[in-house]
Amino acid sequence: MRTIHYAGGEFIVSDKIAAAIMDYAMALAQGTEADLITIPTYDKRGVSVQSQLLIGPASQILSSPLPGAEPESTDDELLADLGRRAAALRPARPEPEAAHDIDLDLEIGR
């Protein structure tokens, strides 16, 4: 479990959700977009609630470990959604050429 510190407040999330939030926030920071996400969080008493988080290019978020936390549950659908959102903001990378597609005569100057 991790504590997310944001805008003068804090909330508790699973390690995987914290990583997905940080990754998505970093992708948003590389552009000019902001987004509102709804995430499962825990308050200081351990009560599960749904929280909304507005993140964008100017977001300053800190994620820190929560010592002695209970085992965590994850929301696989949320993790996949945040991963898709972050990937959509990043530039596409060209696929490397397969070895059989390279003309070896050209590669060694023949």
Side-chain angles (χ1 to χ4, degrees), residues 2-14 17-29 33-37 39 41 52-65 82:
R2 297 189 71 84
T3 302
I4 301 288
H5 307 269
Y6 179 74
E10 58 186 38
F11 51 90
I12 300 166
V13 298
S14 72
I17 290 175
I21 291 169
M22 300 302 280
D23 183 56
Y24 187 39
M26 189 168 58
L28 285 166
E33 296 184 44
D35 197 5
L36 181 66
I37 59 174
I39 54 174
T41 63
Q52 290 187 315
L53 178 64
L54 176 63
I55 53 178
S59 295
Q60 295 181 354
I61 302 171
L62 169 67
S63 170
S64 60
L82 291 176

Side-chain angles (χ1 to χ4, degrees), residues 67-105:
E70 295 290 321
E72 58 190 59
S73 61
T74 60
D75 183 332
D76 292 335
E77 189 175 318
L78 173 65
L79 294 173
D81 180 50
L82 291 176
R84 282 189 300 273
R85 290 183 193 201
L89 294 169
R90 294 190 171 103
R93 294 183 180 168
E95 292 292 323
E97 290 186 59
H100 59 81
D101 291 339
I102 299 172
D103 186 346
L104 294 179
D105 288 337

